[in-house]
Amino acid sequence: MTEVLTRVFFASSTLLGAVAAVYVIVHVIDKGFSVFGDLWTRNKSIMLKTYVFDNSYYAEVNKQYPHLSDEQVKAAFEQLRLYFELNLVYLGNVILMPSKLVDTCWHVFICDTRAYQKFCKTHFGEFLHHEKQVNTRFDIHIDAMPL
């Protein structure tokens, strides 16, 4: 009797395992690797939130915008961080820059080419190129963007 129960238990647990495996396969086929991609994005987003921009970047932006306080320049770099987060979530899509000031922060960061390349590799898995941004739908050029 014990042997029969053991066989029944083993068969039912094997069947449940097979059903679970089929469910995972169907889910991956149906949704792709979105679950794994979401996890990757979440981990990269956490890493991005903890990234520390070099202090020299703030000084460089302050030279170009001397009327701004240190807090305002730091806030602009936080906006750049949010911009990068949007690019992480919507990788492959064009995300318009929120302001010329934030774009300047990006330019300063890009000029530190090795640090920027390492940043991109770590946070995006690929190089995030800076494109000239023109919104053709509303004919808005980057020069028309707010400070």
Side-chain angles (χ1 to χ4, degrees):
M1 178 76 171
T2 307
E3 188 178 319
V4 171
L5 287 174
T6 303
R7 285 185 181 175
V8 168
F9 176 75
F10 180 74
S12 63
S13 62
T14 303
L15 180 63
L16 284 175
V19 168
V22 167
Y23 173 78
V24 168
I25 290 169
V26 167
H27 180 74
V28 167
I29 290 170
D30 183 42
K31 305 241 184 223
F33 287 96
S34 65
V35 172
F36 306 109
D38 291 345
L39 204 76
W40 182 87
T41 302
R42 198 171 310 127
N43 288 339
K44 295 293 183 181
S45 180
I46 290 168
M47 288 173 54
L48 187 56
K49 285 178 178 35
T50 61
Y51 183 80
V52 178
F53 291 104
D54 190 282
N55 285 333
S56 66
Y57 303 162
Y58 301 112
E60 185 62 35
V61 172
N62 253 337
K63 283 183 197 173
Q64 296 181 42
Y65 292 90
H67 61 283
L68 296 179
S69 69
D70 292 344
E71 290 77 28
Q72 289 172 315
V73 172
K74 285 182 181 177
F77 274 96
E78 286 308 308
Q79 292 297 312
L80 178 61
R81 184 187 316 277
L82 292 173
Y83 175 79
F84 286 145
E85 280 194 55
L86 284 173
N87 276 280
L88 178 63
V89 173
Y90 299 104
L91 199 60
N93 293 299
V94 175
I95 310 294
L96 291 178
M97 183 59 60
S99 71
K100 288 174 82 171
L101 175 59
V102 175
D103 189 55
T104 300
C105 293
W106 193 8
H107 283 241
V108 167
F109 187 23
I110 287 174
C111 286
D112 189 355
T113 56
R114 284 181 172 68
Y116 181 70
Q117 183 180 25
K118 183 178 177 184
F119 171 84
C120 289
K121 179 81 170 152
T122 301
H123 295 92
F124 304 111
E126 63 186 39
F127 195 82
L128 181 62
H129 291 278
H130 185 287
E131 306 283 342
K132 181 177 179 181
Q133 297 176 346
V134 177
N135 185 329
T136 54
R137 180 174 178 204
F138 298 107
D139 196 31
I140 298 172
H141 296 263
I142 198 164
D143 293 336
M145 291 170 33
L147 181 66

